[in-house]
Amino acid sequence: MVTTKSKKETKKKTTTKRTVKVKKAETVKKTIGKKPVAKKIASKTKVTKASAKTKRVATKKAVTTSSPKGKRTASKAKAVKAIMAVTEQPRAVIPVEKKQSTIQAVMETKAAKSEPKRDISFNPQEMEPRWQKKWEMDKLYRAVIDYSKPKFYALTMLPYPSGDLHMGHWFPMTPSDARARFMRMNGYNVLFPMGFDAFGLPAENAAIKSGIHPMKRTRDNIVRMRAQLRSMGAMFDWEREAVSCEPEYYKWTEWFFIQLYKHGLAYRKMSPVDFCPNCNTTLAREQVWGEDRHCERCDTPVIKKDLEQWFFKTTKYADELLNFDGIDWPQTVKTLQTNWIDRSEGASVIFKTETGNHDVEIFTTRPDTLWGATFMVFSPEHPLVDEITTPENKAAIEEYKVQAARQSDIQRGAVDKEKTGVFTGGYAINPVNQARIPIWIADYVLMSYGTGAIMAVPAHDERDFAFAKKYDLPIIEVIRPESEVRATSESSLQAAYIGAGVMVNSDQFNGTKVNTEKGRKNPGVSAVIDWLQEKGIGKESVNYRYRDWLISRQRYWGSPIPMVRCDIHGWNPVPEDQLPVTLPEDVEWKPTGESPLKLHPTWKNTTCPMCGGPATRETDTMDTFMCSSWYHLRYLSPHYDRGPFDPAEYDYWMPVDTYTGGIEHATMHLLYTRFFHKALRDAGIVKGDEPMLQLRNQGMVLGEDGEKMSKSRGNVIAPDILVDKYGADTVRTYMMFFARWEMGAPWDSQGIEGPARWIRRVWNLFTDPTQPASDSAFDGRQLRRRVHQTLRKVTHDFENFEFNTIISSLMELMNEMYKAREAGAAGSPEWKEAQDIYLHMLAPVAPHIAEELWTNHLGKTYSIHQQPWPKFDEAAAKEDSIELPVQINGKVRDRITVPAEAREEEIKAAALASETVRKYLEGKVPKKVIVAKGRLVSIVV
RNA sequence: GCCGAAGUGGCGGAAUAGGCAGACGCGCACGACUCAAAAUCGUGUUCCCUACGGGAAUGAGGGUUCGAUUCCCUCCUUCGGCACCA
């Protein structure tokens, strides 16, 4: 599921930041292997910035590098300095500035000399696999039901086994892992599982190309990716791993299909697919290329073909899916799903055709404009088109239908496209006034929305207006702005009028007020609906943009649909005790991509579960979103064979407490999985109304060029190399630090140096040989204060998914600790507490180094990952005195230091007593003095 | 066109409740160490100016306020999603 599918290539060159970033990336690339050139570029850029300061620097630089004479002079000067340093060395050993004894200074020098050694002893390449192995041996992250503890199900989207893990996987997963670890230290029994969403088109395409069976390829990829996932040092419980392409998994995907079928939620209907007539294959959207929409394999123009396929009635849950009560999901996702479902209220009205006397149902949100309907427009695919078309219009209609079918919905909906259509020759009767109106077809009416036919009201709909103007069709005004009641209607005919007013030309409804509200809130709409229902012409109705879920795929590499068809008994599910219907292994791959299930000689032959007579299997497989709609349930008991999940595990762990993943799944996976849960609830299989209580989305890691990472662009950053070079702890830290998590950012390969330095400096801070404090300037109260302030901040940020500031706070505290140690903190109780709390806060972020320092260097009880989160001490975090800025007329002019508990009058007095303030006041009496407690003092003159 | 998110130094970003804009880090510059380089450590680093001091600045413009990155209005730009939706 976590993939880098790109639907559109980004073509537009941006003029702002992105472009700047691209330029920077180019410079960086040039740096590799050719440092001097890069440096020159850098200085050149600075010169163009026209800053006097940098110009000077650049000029200086140019002198030293370009003139050999200058260079010699410079190095000569350096040599002289070096000699001086050598001669001065004996004296330099004796500390001059620091108030420390000579003995201490000597020890310090020794410590300084041993520094490189300490750096060498920090060896993540040795340490990380060692701890990973031990944690696994000790089953440290095994999540077992334990009713004595509150449970926490932390779920992150599972990867598609494409072959290699990349930054797009690390970015959502490692911060999620850190948070799962944080929850664990806070006393929760945490389940953090991992698996593979293993069915799908790429493996099948690879099989067609190479002949390697998708199962082999997928399993090989999983083996490799599992090892890569382990290198993260995450707390995945591998005993709960689930792989969707294994029969023990898809047996239950099939079983779920049958349950939905039994509850009336699965049905068959005709639906068009993109089809290559040459390859005899259905094509996915990504296999249709170019403006002319040709097949990716053979360049043949793609056609639309109607196939009978399986659907789930997702629309049955449309209203319930619009309700987000009780779940903590980002507003963005809720809005996206709401707009995707797009509920609209109105009426459905029956028009009759003149020929054949057929009922044609249309949906309208504006039944109040029915008297203005001067023509009808059918979608070219509408089933009645052939019948109503008169012989003289046949040829034109057929040609238009072919042309419309060649286009994608996106092309049909292009903004600047001129409206086109063809008259069928047929007529319909407007039921409200018996007017005889022509029926046209046009590609702007889509079969997939509403009923595939509309009444056209050109006076009050922009599209209908444009169409009527182009083909010279009548326009009748039926809503008139109230201010123009006495005016002629001429002006309103220049464009469609969409607004409030009163109904005109509408028989008994003339004079009825109409506002811009929707549905029943609009008096005109409401009155007409009541009348339509009374007359039996139409009824109040709700329409959704949301469609039923088409789950049939004409592919091999997916979960089989467990249905068989017999000539006598039609479609019936495979008996549950015969599940799973397994995919045959002996299949032949045609270069055309035709599904091998169709071509298999025996697989599809079976017997009818009703009569035992000959029957055939469904050869289509299921959409892979079906597999990912319930994987969170399979994790509970991946090898359980008496049901899709062990009810005992379900009762303890479900629902999912936190779900993390990409926002690109907002209207697909995240909506499917909610539907699926509700359908299963109604089938009595699961409990509760929602599967995931809290959702958080991360942004995207782009390539260094600011574009989406993809193999074809060659901008993929592989984590393996980084783990080899820096260690997993550093890469994890960088994932949390380098961008706002919910935003994402382009990759910056230089930026990782920051976290790398931090991790090394933490190592040195803890492993440095330390001496007890003597003659110390160390302020223990101050250190405690900083430690507990950081603890408060880090705790808050973990709770709120603000990962980048967790790392900055830890960096700041480390800097404080270095200063404290310099001042002689080592050995004090405050120092020991600082070390303790620091490692606890570090543990979720960088689990390996935290464990090594805790267990091996401080000699504490293994494992730090089983320790409780430290207790925050409010009193310790409190400041004694605070520094307040003093503003005069909005400008900061001075700073005063007051006790933290100082009262307002005291602060005011202190501010006015300040010399600087008095200078600025020049004897004037301030108009107003505002004291924002703990923030600042503002004086208005 | 509609819906959603965002715009802060050279870069990623920070800023409890409307209260010191630029934390932390990258990069860069200079210095220390080194034969040298790397690493490390230290110092500096928003912009402008007449530079001891002063001014401007959070996409642009306006408003509310003693005070706005934060709230309101208008506009611009970028990103994501949907789109002739009846």
Side-chain angles (χ1 to χ4, degrees):
Chain A
M1 192 189 305
V2 182
T3 52
T4 47
K5 281 178 210 161
S6 82
K7 283 177 198 157
K8 281 184 269 178
E9 297 284 305
T10 320
K11 278 163 207 156
K12 278 181 243 163
K13 272 278 162 190
T14 55
T15 46
T16 50
K17 273 192 172 177
R18 284 269 145 92
T19 323
V20 175
K21 277 180 223 151
V22 172
K23 274 182 195 159
K24 195 192 166 198
E26 275 166 13
T27 323
V28 170
K29 266 179 204 162
K30 277 171 196 161
T31 316
I32 301 159
K34 270 197 171 183
K35 205 143 202 191
V37 178
K39 270 192 177 171
K40 248 184 211 168
I41 290 166
S43 49
K44 248 187 197 169
T45 323
K46 281 206 169 160
V47 174
T48 57
K49 288 280 167 197
S51 124
K53 192 177 162 191
T54 43
K55 245 185 205 169
R56 238 176 289 135
V57 174
T59 323
K60 237 193 222 168
K61 199 179 178 101
V63 170
T64 41
T65 46
S66 62
S67 129
K69 201 179 169 187
K71 198 174 185 179
R72 217 180 299 143
T73 336
S75 52
K76 215 181 194 176
K78 262 197 173 177
V80 172
K81 252 189 186 173
I83 292 159
M84 279 168 71
V86 168
T87 46
E88 272 172 19
Q89 211 168 21
R91 262 185 289 160
V93 171
I94 301 156
V96 199
E97 287 162 345
K98 284 176 191 165
K99 295 175 226 160
Q100 278 162 329
S101 71
T102 320
I103 299 155
Q104 254 186 304
V106 171
M107 282 174 75
E108 268 190 348
T109 318
K110 271 185 187 168
K113 270 182 186 165
S114 62
E115 200 146 325
K117 261 187 207 162
R118 286 204 312 278
D119 261 330
I120 290 159
S121 73
F122 174 62
N123 184 358
Q125 290 74 19
E126 178 276 325
M127 178 182 87
E128 291 181 350
R130 171 160 51 79
W131 282 116
Q132 284 164 17
K133 212 169 154 193
K134 176 149 176 66
W135 293 333
E136 194 160 352
M137 297 263 289
D138 298 341
K139 292 186 184 293
L140 199 69
Y141 303 128
R142 180 84 181 95
V144 202
I145 295 174
D146 177 358
Y147 276 97
S148 71
K149 280 186 192 169
K151 67 95 186 180
F152 194 86
Y153 189 170
L155 181 69
T156 193
M157 289 181 187
L158 80 178
Y160 171 79
S162 58
D164 274 297
L165 223 55
H166 54 75
M167 270 8 227
H169 297 107
W170 277 68
F171 188 59
M173 285 180 193
T174 49
S176 297
D177 173 61
R179 193 165 185 280
R181 289 171 172 279
F182 167 76
M183 293 309 290
R184 187 177 136 118
M185 291 175 87
N186 276 280
Y188 289 92
N189 186 22
V190 178
L191 169 58
F192 187 54
M194 187 40 63
F196 295 94
D197 183 24
F199 276 132
L201 198 54
E204 186 154 347
N205 284 340
I208 292 160
K209 251 190 197 164
S210 63
I212 298 169
H213 195 282
M215 183 58 106
K216 183 182 165 17
R217 189 190 121 101
T218 303
R219 282 186 179 150
D220 288 351
N221 284 351
I222 287 173
V223 167
R224 187 157 67 250
M225 289 177 77
R226 205 182 273 138
Q228 290 175 318
L229 282 164
R230 277 171 200 264
S231 77
M232 277 180 189
M235 55 170 285
F236 299 129
D237 178 0
W238 286 106
E239 287 184 44
R240 290 180 184 269
E241 182 201 63
V243 178
S244 68
C245 69
E246 295 295 341
E248 67 168 1
Y249 186 105
Y250 70 72
K251 171 181 178 176
W252 301 106
T253 310
E254 294 175 8
W255 184 83
F256 280 125
F257 178 93
I258 292 172
Q259 305 316 308
L260 264 61
Y261 177 81
K262 282 183 176 168
H263 284 82
L265 290 170
Y267 69 97
R268 280 171 78 76
K269 81 170 176 195
M270 294 298 281
S271 180
V273 292
D274 285 327
F275 193 82
C276 173
N278 185 42
C279 297
N280 199 31
T281 309
T282 304
L283 299 176
R285 199 196 290 177
E286 62 182 39
Q287 294 175 302
V288 179
W289 287 15
E291 276 282 293
D292 62 334
R293 297 177 41 76
H294 62 265
C295 170
E296 68 167 346
R297 290 201 181 86
C298 66
D299 298 343
T300 307
V302 168
I303 59 163
K304 283 248 162 52
K305 191 177 170 182
D306 255 351
L307 294 178
E308 207 182 49
Q309 306 185 74
W310 289 101
F311 284 83
F312 283 149
K313 276 188 197 161
T314 46
T315 50
K316 188 186 166 188
Y317 291 89
D319 277 326
E320 204 192 331
L321 289 167
L322 288 169
N323 178 8
F324 298 92
D325 288 351
I327 54 173
D328 170 20
W329 281 33
Q331 187 53 50
T332 329
V333 174
K334 292 195 272 188
T335 309
L336 285 168
Q337 292 198 350
T338 302
N339 293 345
W340 181 264
I341 293 168
D342 190 20
R343 178 192 156 100
S344 54
E345 291 170 18
S348 59
V349 183
I350 309 288
F351 282 61
K352 283 203 188 301
T353 60
E354 206 178 39
T355 42
N357 207 25
H358 288 288
D359 283 355
V360 181
E361 191 183 354
I362 60 110
F363 173 78
T364 176
T365 51
R366 297 295 306 276
D368 53 319
T369 65
L370 264 162
W371 284 262
T374 53
F375 59 101
M376 287 188 87
V377 186
F378 284 22
S379 156
E381 296 85 13
H382 196 283
L384 283 178
V385 169
D386 287 343
E387 203 174 318
I388 56 176
T389 302
T390 53
E392 65 272 22
N393 291 301
K394 201 113 212 158
I397 290 284
E398 282 309 313
E399 198 195 316
Y400 190 81
K401 278 169 77 172
V402 169
Q403 178 238 320
R406 284 277 302 120
Q407 296 176 62
S408 70
D409 280 4
I410 289 164
Q411 285 172 326
R412 276 170 70 158
V415 172
D416 49 356
K417 206 185 141 209
E418 208 186 317
K419 281 170 188 53
T420 60
V422 182
F423 180 43
T424 61
Y427 287 87
I429 303 300
N430 184 340
V432 299
N433 57 8
Q434 310 310 313
R436 182 171 180 261
I437 57 175
I439 301 171
W440 287 61
I441 64 167
D443 59 11
Y444 78 89
V445 176
L446 304 175
M447 201 57 218
S448 56
Y449 186 82
T451 62
I454 62 161
M455 66 162 187
V457 184
H460 306 290
D461 182 285
E462 281 176 47
R463 287 153 305 145
D464 297 346
F465 184 83
F467 197 85
K469 279 278 175 198
K470 180 167 177 184
Y471 295 107
D472 204 19
L473 293 157
I475 299 169
I476 299 173
E477 183 192 39
V478 289
I479 310 286
R480 189 174 293 171
E482 273 192 272
S483 56
E484 287 178 38
V485 168
R486 281 173 207 180
T488 57
S489 59
E490 277 310 305
S491 62
S492 65
L493 293 182
Q494 300 308 308
Y497 175 72
I498 301 148
V502 290
M503 292 172 69
V504 294
N505 299 323
S506 303
D507 302 332
Q508 74 273 29
F509 287 98
N510 286 342
T512 307
K513 284 195 181 181
V514 173
N515 61 29
T516 51
E517 295 281 330
K518 291 185 174 157
R520 284 285 189 180
K521 282 182 218 149
N522 193 327
V525 170
S526 187
V528 173
I529 288 174
D530 288 341
W531 181 76
L532 288 171
Q533 297 196 138
E534 206 176 288
K535 288 271 165 188
I537 308 166
K539 58 177 197 284
E540 185 169 9
S541 169
V542 174
N543 191 53
Y544 302 92
R545 181 191 169 278
Y546 196 41
R547 303 170 201 166
D548 280 343
W549 178 7
L550 167 63
I551 59 143
S552 294
R553 296 290 181 270
Q554 292 75 48
R555 305 279 164 202
Y556 169 84
W557 194 232
S559 174
I561 297 174
M563 298 294 287
V564 295
R565 210 188 77 86
C566 148
D567 283 343
I568 303 154
H569 297 97
W571 286 101
N572 278 292
V574 172
E576 287 176 28
D577 59 7
Q578 287 173 30
L579 295 181
V581 175
T582 48
L583 291 166
E585 301 238 348
D586 55 331
V587 285
E588 205 187 322
W589 301 99
K590 286 257 170 102
T592 58
E594 254 184 291
S595 169
L597 286 184
K598 272 208 175 83
L599 305 170
H600 195 279
T602 55
W603 181 80
K604 63 182 172 190
N605 299 327
T606 183
T607 51
C608 173
M610 305 293 283
C611 63
T616 52
R617 290 188 191 283
E618 170 63 86
T619 54
D620 284 354
T621 53
M622 285 186 240
D623 180 3
T624 56
F625 276 122
M626 177 84 183
C627 314
S628 57
S629 289
W630 72 280
Y631 74 104
H632 54 284
L633 297 173
R634 195 59 188 165
Y635 282 153
L636 300 174
S637 47
H639 310 298
Y640 188 71
D641 61 2
R642 279 171 290 159
F645 52 81
D646 181 340
E649 297 278 347
Y650 183 93
D651 287 343
Y652 181 71
W653 293 110
M654 279 296 285
V656 171
D657 293 281
T658 300
Y659 193 27
T660 53
I663 197 160
E664 67 271 20
H665 294 292
T667 54
M668 304 288 272
H669 161 66
L670 289 171
L671 199 49
Y672 288 140
T673 207
R674 288 182 68 216
F675 155 76
F676 207 76
H677 183 89
K678 289 171 193 298
L680 296 188
R681 174 203 60 196
D682 290 349
I685 299 165
V686 300
K687 296 161 205 164
D689 293 330
E690 294 283 348
M692 286 110 184
L693 298 182
Q694 185 186 45
L695 174 74
R696 289 295 179 270
N697 303 111
Q698 85 284 350
M700 215 189 293
V701 196
L702 302 171
E704 205 143 20
D705 50 5
E707 303 261 319
K708 203 165 181 174
M709 266 191 205
S710 73
K711 269 187 190 168
S712 59
R713 288 200 188 88
N715 60 356
V716 175
I717 304 291
D720 303 35
I721 302 161
L722 295 170
V723 172
D724 283 351
K725 189 174 173 191
Y726 297 101
D729 284 339
T730 295
V731 183
R732 290 171 61 100
T733 306
Y734 191 42
M735 290 294 99
M736 295 173 70
F737 183 62
F738 97 106
R740 241 151 95 187
W741 195 63
E742 74 275 19
M743 292 293 164
W747 181 258
D748 176 6
S749 56
Q750 280 180 324
I752 197 170
E753 291 296 340
R757 265 170 220 153
W758 172 58
I759 292 283
R760 276 198 300 268
R761 272 165 59 81
V762 168
W763 177 265
N764 290 343
L765 182 69
F766 279 80
T767 57
D768 207 359
T770 47
Q771 324 90 43
S774 68
D775 183 26
S776 121
F778 165 61
D779 181 350
R781 169 110 177 74
Q782 179 65 8
L783 179 62
R784 281 208 82 209
R785 189 176 292 134
R786 291 284 169 260
V787 167
H788 282 274
Q789 285 173 347
T790 307
L791 178 59
R792 174 171 54 197
K793 169 84 177 144
V794 167
T795 307
H796 170 269
D797 289 356
F798 260 122
E799 280 162 1
N800 294 286
F801 296 81
E802 288 163 17
F803 300 112
N804 53 346
T805 45
I806 292 174
I807 308 299
S808 356
S809 309
L810 290 177
M811 284 172 171
E812 279 176 275
L813 181 57
M814 178 196 68
N815 291 337
E816 289 286 336
M817 284 173 73
Y818 263 100
K819 274 182 212 154
R821 198 184 61 171
E822 196 102 318
S828 68
E830 292 89 352
W831 178 252
K832 283 184 179 151
E833 187 199 14
Q835 284 192 315
D836 247 49
I837 293 181
Y838 200 88
L839 288 185
H840 280 79
M841 293 190 290
L842 185 68
V845 174
H848 310 91
I849 187 176
E851 185 78 282
E852 180 77 10
L853 292 174
W854 177 261
T855 305
N856 287 351
H857 282 271
L858 296 188
K860 305 267 186 165
T861 320
Y862 169 84
S863 156
I864 190 161
H865 303 298
Q866 288 170 314
Q867 304 301 317
W869 191 249
K871 277 215 161 60
F872 169 62
D873 183 342
E874 178 90 55
K878 215 164 222 168
E879 296 281 358
D880 292 335
S881 62
I882 45 170
E883 198 191 62
L884 293 178
V886 181
Q887 286 186 348
I888 296 166
N889 288 340
K891 293 217 159 86
V892 178
R893 296 299 184 187
D894 196 19
R895 281 157 203 289
I896 53 167
T897 305
V898 296
E901 306 299 331
R903 280 172 301 149
E904 205 173 306
E905 306 85 74
E906 292 168 337
I907 297 170
K908 207 183 254 186
L912 292 172
S914 142
E915 203 130 305
T916 327
V917 171
R918 268 191 274 172
K919 197 181 87 192
Y920 274 97
L921 288 179
E922 293 167 342
K924 282 177 241 164
V925 181
K927 255 191 223 160
K928 217 176 192 182
V929 181
I930 296 137
V931 178
K933 242 194 151 196
R935 302 257 173 211
L936 54 46
V937 182
S938 182
I939 300 168
V940 188
V941 184

